[in-house]
Amino acid sequence: MKRIFQFAATLQSLLLLCLFTRFKEINSFQCAQSFAPRLSLSSLLKTSETEGYGETGVDDVKMENAWRYVKKPLLRIGSRGLAESHGNSLKELLAQHDAVKVKVNTGKLGTLGEVFNQLKELAEKSGAPSGIELIRIRPSDNTIMFGSCGLSEKIVNGDYPPPPPPPPTEEELMVYAAKRKERQDAKRAAKEAKEAAYKRRVNSRKS
């Protein structure tokens, strides 16, 4: 009888030990999941691609100035991927601007360098002039900067971005002030005429 109680106590101890070990494993797994880093699209792209320039030997300061001059992406690629409309849009944008930023919001198309080649091909098929240039890739922003033909050379030579316009002369400031006063006077006269017409209507109703 005594041996039976000892066997039961040993079995109970082993059962409690197994349950405790299992609980500890589950708890550690949940903690690992809660503290595991969440990989975003940008982090996935950064692991496979580093930031780079289309033209080698470009001064970093000049390239940074060109990048900042283009304020925001004018074209975006979503989860549906590329279509002919993206190529046509890039063609029209490059006809209006020397440089265009393109935001890539999907990782299904490969690296940003591969996206550049695909979009460049679509733009040229839409009638864009050949020679579209890769100016810069920034994986941290999932952004590609496209340039028209010859833009890299302009950046190297310091011709892009263009210099800021010169400050207005005293004569230009006087002309601007006169035009502004003229607009204000016209607005005031229109307001007074409207008020006068309203008063006449009110008086005619009273009479």
Side-chain angles (χ1 to χ4, degrees), residues 16-199:
L16 290 174
L17 181 61
C18 290
L19 291 174
F20 176 75
T21 304
R22 181 60 178 165
F23 175 76
K24 190 175 180 181
E25 289 177 354
I26 294 173
N27 192 36
S28 61
F29 176 74
Q30 290 176 344
C31 290
Q33 277 193 324
S34 61
F35 288 102
R38 296 181 180 178
L39 294 178
S40 61
L41 173 62
S42 60
S43 63
L44 289 172
L45 288 173
K46 282 189 284 185
T47 57
S48 61
E49 188 171 13
T50 57
E51 182 168 345
Y53 307 143
E55 181 75 17
T56 57
V58 180
D59 183 78
D60 288 342
V61 175
K62 292 180 179 179
M63 182 56 69
E64 187 64 27
N65 289 337
W67 178 269
R68 292 184 178 183
Y69 182 75
V70 182
K71 300 300 181 185
K72 60 182 180 180
L74 298 178
L75 183 62
R76 297 178 184 272
I77 301 173
S79 59
R80 295 184 179 179
L82 286 169
E84 292 183 1
S85 58
H86 289 100
N88 189 57
S89 297
L90 181 61
K91 178 195 72 173
E92 294 177 354
L93 289 169
L94 286 174
Q96 302 170 10
H97 310 277
D98 288 328
V100 175
K101 285 182 179 178
V102 177
K103 179 81 170 180
V104 182
N105 293 321
T106 179
K108 300 177 181 178
L109 301 174
T111 65
L112 293 178
E114 292 170 341
V115 176
F116 166 80
N117 291 327
Q118 296 173 48
L119 187 51
K120 174 185 176 182
E121 184 178 351
L122 286 174
E124 290 177 348
K125 283 183 179 179
S126 298
S130 60
I132 296 174
E133 297 180 354
L134 171 60
I135 304 301
R136 190 176 189 176
I137 285 175
R138 179 169 282 183
S140 59
D141 297 333
N142 301 332
T143 302
I144 310 169
M145 186 169 172
F146 289 73
S148 56
C149 183
L151 183 61
S152 296
E153 186 178 356
K154 291 181 181 179
I155 296 174
V156 172
N157 296 333
D159 297 329
Y160 186 88
T169 63
E170 185 176 351
E171 182 179 355
E172 289 174 339
L173 289 174
M174 291 177 64
V175 171
Y176 172 78
K179 288 183 178 180
R180 184 179 180 184
K181 186 176 183 304
E182 184 179 347
R183 288 195 300 269
Q184 290 175 344
D185 291 343
K187 189 181 292 186
R188 188 182 302 109
K191 184 178 179 181
E192 291 174 354
K194 189 175 181 180
E195 291 176 351
Y198 176 75
K199 288 180 180 179

